[in-house]
Amino acid sequence: MSSPLVENSETKVTIRLGDDEVALAKEERLRDLFREMGSVLVAFSGGVDSTYVAYVANSELGQKALCITGESPSLATSQRDETVRLARQFGFRREVIQTRELDDINYTANGPTRCYFCKDELYKKLEEVARVREIEFIVDGSTCDDLVDFRPGRAATSKHGVRSPLIEAGMTKTDVRLLSRRVGLPTWDKPASPCLSSRIAYGIPVTIERLSAVDRGEEILRELGFREFRVRHHDSLVRLEIAPAEMVRALRVEVVNDLARRFRGLGFKYVTLDLQGYRSGAMNEVLGQQGSA
């Protein structure tokens, strides 16, 4: 027997009978890991994975678990607000640091390894906090799924000795969603939410102005009631990816006209709708094309 865990297009997965028992066994291993660590600094972004890590760390270690959010123009306004709500709701000990990845030309050049330089900046700042507070380990929310995807930021994780307890416990994204739902985390069915820079096409420099346009554009889609989407910035052209299940509404004449008007107001000359719809990692498709050419 099996049943769907989540209904949106990105996160819909099938849970087989017995999967919850397997996931619970992994969670026990995760709890053991935190008890062994003694004190942790959680890189907390408010996404599905880091929220679950923060929840379990907090439940096992209490005040010896410190959640830190790195804030910069590449963090979406909605994401920043959600970290505040989650910390208040679940009693996380949370602090904020400012990261300055936009000062690094290697980051703003926006090549395929951009994420490495962002994570490198974040972990350097977290290392200093951990040293001053005498916290034993820095932990992130990477899952086993990240080991088979294109994740240049993982190199920074290794460089700075950041531990990935979900990977150590053998957890997949499906496990995290299932267990998050069991404990009542509102993020259990949240779509993936990488930084705003991931919406800017490779080779187009990352600037505060472009990040702001993406952030405001995604707020427009959110205001219109869309749930799964990306605003892809291609300089003067914006490419809107909307989940296939929501595409019918996006194609209504009045919605199309509204989108065109509002996105031109953000400075785009051309406003387009991607007919393939939303899919995670769409900006990496060009890398695959280059590799096979």
Side-chain angles (χ1 to χ4, degrees):
M1 294 179 61
S2 63
S3 61
L5 172 63
V6 187
E7 294 302 327
N8 65 62
S9 64
E10 179 190 73
T11 57
K12 185 174 181 180
V13 293
T14 300
I15 300 301
R16 296 179 299 275
L17 189 64
D19 276 2
D20 50 350
E21 287 84 358
V22 173
L24 284 170
K26 293 177 182 179
E27 182 176 82
E28 281 305 308
R29 173 56 182 150
L30 180 67
R31 292 180 180 277
D32 288 342
L33 284 169
F34 281 127
R35 288 192 291 268
E36 291 167 9
M37 290 182 200
S39 61
V40 298
L41 189 162
V42 180
F44 177 54
S45 68
V48 180
D49 306 317
S50 71
T51 298
Y52 176 68
V53 169
Y55 175 86
V56 177
N58 185 66
S59 67
E60 290 298 327
L61 300 175
Q63 289 299 300
K64 291 187 177 181
L66 173 62
C67 302
I68 291 192
T69 303
E71 292 191 357
S72 76
S74 65
L75 181 68
T77 301
S78 60
Q79 193 83 349
R80 182 180 298 113
D81 294 343
E82 186 155 22
T83 61
V84 174
R85 288 194 298 270
L86 289 166
R88 287 175 179 168
Q89 182 177 354
F90 294 98
F92 300 159
R93 180 182 166 217
R94 174 186 174 271
E95 296 179 12
V96 172
I97 60 171
Q98 300 298 318
T99 58
R100 303 184 64 85
E101 61 269 20
L102 267 74
D103 291 345
D104 185 351
I105 191 171
N106 293 301
Y107 178 84
T108 57
N110 199 20
T113 59
R114 178 198 64 243
C115 289
Y116 167 82
F117 300 103
C118 177
K119 294 294 187 184
D120 186 50
E121 162 70 3
L122 172 64
Y123 294 147
K124 280 191 290 189
K125 295 286 178 66
L126 295 185
E127 278 182 324
E128 179 61 17
V129 174
R131 185 188 66 78
V132 171
R133 305 290 185 87
E134 298 183 334
I135 297 173
E136 291 292 332
F137 297 98
I138 301 170
V139 299
D140 75 354
S142 297
T143 70
C144 292
D145 302 67
D146 295 313
L147 298 177
V148 295
D149 201 356
F150 179 63
R151 291 285 189 271
R154 290 291 301 165
T157 303
S158 300
K159 174 183 175 181
H160 293 279
V162 175
R163 291 182 64 171
S164 301
L166 297 179
I167 292 177
E168 293 181 42
M171 285 193 178
T172 64
K173 176 75 78 173
T174 297
D175 293 326
V176 173
R177 291 190 183 279
L178 188 153
L179 293 165
S180 295
R181 183 176 65 171
R182 288 181 68 98
V183 297
L185 293 175
T187 49
W188 75 272
D189 65 343
K190 181 181 179 179
S193 49
C195 80
L196 295 174
S197 297
S198 68
R199 277 72 147 174
I200 302 174
Y202 289 130
I204 296 176
V206 176
T207 64
I208 291 177
E209 292 74 22
R210 289 186 174 116
L211 292 171
S212 177
V214 171
D215 195 19
R216 290 161 60 196
E218 295 200 344
E219 283 298 323
I220 288 171
L221 293 177
R222 205 169 281 112
E223 290 168 8
L224 290 174
F226 293 105
R227 186 168 189 276
E228 283 191 283
F229 52 77
R230 286 287 187 274
V231 170
R232 306 292 191 186
H233 198 305
H234 296 263
D235 201 13
S236 61
L237 180 149
V238 63
R239 177 167 56 87
L240 307 181
E241 293 180 9
I242 294 175
E246 302 179 90
M247 191 71 81
V248 171
R249 185 159 64 89
L251 290 169
R252 293 175 184 169
V253 173
E254 65 273 18
V255 175
V256 168
N257 291 337
D258 192 24
L259 289 173
R261 176 182 60 81
R262 297 177 74 172
F263 275 88
R264 286 198 181 102
L266 296 180
F268 294 104
K269 292 182 180 179
Y270 307 100
V271 182
T272 67
L273 183 65
D274 191 317
L275 297 182
Q276 278 190 271
Y278 167 69
R279 63 269 188 204
S280 181
M283 285 301 197
N284 290 333
E285 292 170 358
V286 65
L287 301 180
Q289 291 167 5
Q290 289 176 347
S292 61

